[in-house]
Amino acid sequence: MRKPDSFRSQSASDKLLDIVVWIIAALAVIVTAYPFLYVVSVAFSDGAAVARGEVYLFPVGFSLDTFRMVMNYDQLWVAYGNSIFYTIVGTVCNVIFTCLAAYPLSRRHFFLRRKLNFFVAFTMYFSGGLIPTYMVVTGLGLYNNRLAMILPVLLSTYNMMICRSAMEAVPEDLFECASLEGANDFYMLTHIAVPLIKPTLAVLTLYYAVARYNDFFNAMLYLGKSELQPLQMFLRRILILSSAEILQQAGTAGAAAAAQNTLKIRYVCIVLAAVPIFCITPFVQKYLVSGTMLGAVKG
């Protein structure tokens, strides 16, 4: 049977659309991946090749001298330890308080549910501002205190709403049966709600961890001591200010080679800072789509 002309033309247009979509997707991948690939290539290339501008896509003259020099810089590991502490402790606190806030707001019989949901959503669009927040944090004595990196960002409203929606999707019958058996709300939270929304919690954990690891603004405001500052503040000092302090500590022999191009030192620091994120992301990647969709759909 011969297919109608309209069907054939529609199929051709669909194919053309698919080709356009693939081209746009490929361009997006190239634009996104090339800068990072270039940074990695410069970090592993020979300093002389970088200075001559010979590095475009892949490393030229493989060398690890700059990595050794940067890794011998003591302040890097102090900042690394601070970032790991802020990320682990902060993420654990974020997830705990997100669940504690989302659970009561997801229960239909909670009499303040509507009012509290309104006030929580209100804070997404309106806040006290930077100066009042700074005055509150410093007034509490948190300046040059590690808690300044944890308490002011203890809860994300957006993430809490995702968690609340995921808990709302849990069948109410499970909570009713547990309540008839004598279970309290804390037991139902830890033994029913949390186990059933693990994909969503995995995604929220990733969101919180990446935000904690990349946070430098709060550190710039509240942490004046270099021994308390996270890795992102160290990168800011290296990228924006200079690389002279690393060169000085490396000594004359190591600095002579790296001084050909301080850009390589900066890119090496970027690569070292990105290592933890690349190590953690593959383990939670499978939850990214399913977890986000589960939190966005109401049952």
Side-chain angles (χ1 to χ4, degrees), residues 8 12 15 18-19 33 46 50 74 76 96-97 100 123 128 132 149 154 156-157 160 177 192 218 239 267 288:
R8 291 201 303 271
K15 292 180 180 178
D18 290 340
I19 293 174
D46 181 68
V50 174
D74 298 335
L76 170 67
I96 291 175
F97 280 88
L100 291 177
T123 62
M149 293 293 292
L154 193 59
S156 168
T157 304
M160 190 278 292
C177 292
I192 297 178
N218 286 332
L239 297 177
Y267 284 0
L288 283 176

Side-chain angles (χ1 to χ4, degrees), residues 53-66:
E54 298 177 355
V55 181
Y56 296 101
L57 186 61
F58 298 107
V60 177
F62 185 81
S63 174
L64 296 176
D65 293 338
T66 309

Side-chain angles (χ1 to χ4, degrees), residues 20-34:
V20 172
V21 170
W22 278 105
I23 292 175
I24 295 176
L27 291 175
V29 171
I30 294 173
V31 171
T32 304
Y34 176 74

Side-chain angles (χ1 to χ4, degrees), residues 231-253:
L231 183 62
Q232 303 306 321
M233 285 295 293
F234 172 80
L235 288 179
R236 177 181 177 272
R237 186 166 67 249
I238 297 300
L239 297 177
I240 297 180
L241 300 180
S242 67
S243 306
E245 50 187 320
I246 293 182
L247 294 174
Q248 291 174 0
Q249 181 165 323
T252 306

Side-chain angles (χ1 to χ4, degrees), residues 43-100:
F44 286 98
S45 297
D46 181 68
V50 174
R52 292 192 300 267
E54 298 177 355
V55 181
Y56 296 101
L57 186 61
F58 298 107
V60 177
F62 185 81
S63 174
L64 296 176
D65 293 338
T66 309
F67 275 93
R68 298 189 187 96
M69 179 176 52
V70 172
M71 293 176 69
N72 286 331
Y73 185 58
D74 298 335
Q75 186 60 37
L76 170 67
W77 299 112
V78 174
Y80 235 125
N82 290 334
S83 285
I84 293 175
F85 173 81
Y86 297 141
T87 301
I88 295 177
V89 176
T91 301
V92 171
C93 293
N94 283 142
V95 174
I96 291 175
F97 280 88
T98 296
C99 292
L100 291 177

Side-chain angles (χ1 to χ4, degrees), residues 223-235:
L223 299 180
K225 297 180 179 179
S226 59
E227 59 268 22
L228 298 178
Q229 294 176 351
L231 183 62
Q232 303 306 321
M233 285 295 293
F234 172 80
L235 288 179

